[in-house]
Amino acid sequence: MNEKAFDEPLFASLKPGLTSFCYRMLGSMDDADDAVQETSIRVWQSWSTFRQDSSFKTWVYRIASNLCLDKLRQSKRRALPVDLFDPAVAIVEPRDTLPESAWIWPSPDFGGNPEDRLVRRDTLRLCFIALLQILPPRQRAVLILKDVFEWSSKQIAETLAMSPAAVNSALQRARETMDRAQLRSDELSSMNVQPEQELLSRYVEAFEQFDIAALVALFHEEGCMSMPPFEMWIRGKEDLSAFYSLTRWHCEGSRFVPITVNGGYPALAQYMPDKEGSGLVPWGIHVIETKENQILHVQNFIHTPLFSRFGLPERIDR
């Protein structure tokens, strides 16, 4: 084989699945895209060494897995605010943040590959991504390839340079760790069931009118709101009301654009008034999880690069 024979369409057909694998491994679409791009470069550079003693797919995933494992050796665990901190005691404007690399971020769709549609959407829930991050990197890779992608132990062993027995042992330990884990984000998650459209419409109307009473009335008694990259998160209707009152100056006049995240789950992109001109500019991505047709958890991901990632405009009219 030689570099001229490199099959770019074949690699392209694997990209959606590769991207979803790397996102689950790394918890960030930016990191996932970097890993897939580096994988494509290494596949092209190493094409002449591919001896077909394993399938092309296995070989490509071996390269991607090694890249992810290398990245994870040099990074700290990504998480969600509710798993790292207790709810706010004093309701003040949020100030303390952690760097972008500390957080799990939502993802857009990975592409139209028919194979990708077979991958279970519940394993793209944000709380599941958070659970994965507590696993040691190699156990994480084994569990994703087995329980999400439904690969055989033999194929996983070839991909990760492990014995089938070692794969099965790592899988058992990973499943036990996931079963024992008690993350608050998992308790607050309902992404396996989409919110009622009427509730979303009422949320949009209340927020865009910034009717605090109507907004807070939509929340469950245990309802809360988190705002990565801010450490602070709010729990309970009284504190939510106080927080909305405190931040009215910032959010009043906002508008929402509907989008989907993490496998088709409905979400809202918030544009806020531009303080230096006309129009509205990106602010946050609201992911709304519900319980008993009330809002249980609003995750407002305040990271404006997400807007271009989701193909959203840089500004919209008021």
Side-chain angles (χ1 to χ4, degrees):
M1 291 181 137
N2 53 57
E3 290 178 0
K4 291 182 180 179
F6 174 53
D7 193 335
E8 290 190 30
L10 183 57
F11 181 82
S13 72
L14 296 178
K15 279 189 72 174
L18 268 181
T19 305
S20 67
F21 169 75
C22 292
Y23 172 66
R24 289 177 175 90
M25 284 290 291
L26 302 171
S28 157
M29 277 301 296
D30 286 342
D31 284 2
D33 278 349
D34 288 346
V36 172
Q37 178 63 25
E38 182 62 27
T39 297
S40 69
I41 292 170
R42 293 195 185 183
V43 167
W44 182 81
Q45 290 175 336
S46 307
W47 182 246
S48 61
T49 69
F50 176 48
R51 302 301 180 192
Q52 293 186 310
D53 52 352
S54 63
S55 72
F56 177 71
K57 181 177 180 179
T58 299
W59 182 60
V60 170
Y61 270 81
R62 182 184 304 152
I63 293 171
S65 298
N66 286 334
L67 280 165
C68 288
L69 293 173
D70 286 343
K71 283 179 175 287
L72 290 168
R73 289 188 191 99
Q74 304 165 23
S75 62
K76 295 181 180 179
R77 165 194 160 200
R78 288 181 180 266
L80 296 166
V82 295
D83 293 328
L84 295 181
F85 305 99
D86 289 329
V89 175
I91 304 304
V92 296
E93 288 186 29
R95 291 186 178 85
D96 295 334
T97 64
L98 293 180
E100 178 275 335
S101 59
W103 303 112
I104 290 164
W105 300 103
S107 75
D109 292 336
F110 300 112
N113 190 322
E115 179 185 342
D116 195 50
R117 288 198 289 268
L118 300 176
V119 176
R120 289 164 34 207
R121 193 171 71 178
D122 64 323
T123 66
L124 279 171
R125 292 180 300 152
L126 289 161
C127 69
F128 185 79
I129 303 299
L131 273 171
L132 286 173
Q133 307 309 302
I134 70 175
L135 295 175
R138 193 167 292 272
Q139 286 184 30
R140 192 182 311 174
V142 168
L143 184 130
I144 294 168
L145 292 174
K146 185 67 172 179
D147 287 359
V148 178
F149 287 80
E150 298 181 349
W151 285 20
S152 68
S153 295
K154 180 177 182 295
Q155 190 177 8
I156 297 171
E158 291 175 355
T159 301
L160 299 178
M162 302 166 68
S163 69
V167 166
N168 291 333
S169 176
L171 180 63
Q172 180 180 352
R173 294 196 303 274
R175 286 172 174 168
E176 289 173 351
T177 299
M178 296 278 276
D179 288 342
R180 286 196 310 268
Q182 294 183 327
L183 294 185
R184 191 184 272 124
S185 59
D186 192 33
E187 298 172 6
L188 293 173
S189 179
S190 61
M191 287 183 72
N192 54 326
V193 178
Q194 294 197 1
E196 295 288 339
Q197 184 57 51
E198 181 192 5
L199 180 62
L200 289 179
S201 297
R202 290 164 63 199
Y203 180 81
V204 169
E205 181 180 5
F207 199 103
E208 290 185 348
Q209 294 181 2
F210 221 74
D211 183 337
I212 294 175
L215 192 55
V216 172
L218 299 176
F219 279 82
H220 192 277
E221 286 298 328
E222 302 169 2
C224 57
M225 177 178 59
S226 57
M227 305 155 287
F230 294 102
E231 300 174 3
M232 177 184 181
W233 63 279
I234 317 297
R235 186 167 210 166
K237 288 188 174 187
E238 184 177 339
D239 284 353
L240 285 164
S241 180
F243 182 79
Y244 283 130
S245 297
L246 190 65
T247 56
R248 174 188 287 275
W249 68 272
H250 180 82
C251 290
E252 196 167 26
S254 292
R255 293 291 180 268
F256 283 122
V257 173
I259 59 171
T260 60
V261 302
N262 290 60
Y265 191 84
L268 300 162
Q270 178 192 351
Y271 285 80
M272 58 169 282
D274 186 352
K275 305 302 182 186
E276 299 178 359
S278 62
L280 303 164
V281 293
W283 177 245
I285 304 292
H286 294 224
V287 180
I288 299 170
E289 301 181 84
T290 62
K291 179 179 180 180
E292 300 166 355
N293 202 29
Q294 294 177 298
I295 296 173
L296 180 63
H297 187 194
V298 175
Q299 299 187 75
N300 182 8
F301 293 92
I302 302 170
H303 186 51
T304 54
L306 286 172
F307 282 68
S308 60
R309 164 79 55 198
F310 281 88
L312 292 162
E314 293 183 2
R315 65 190 302 116
I316 61 175
D317 296 330
R318 288 180 184 266

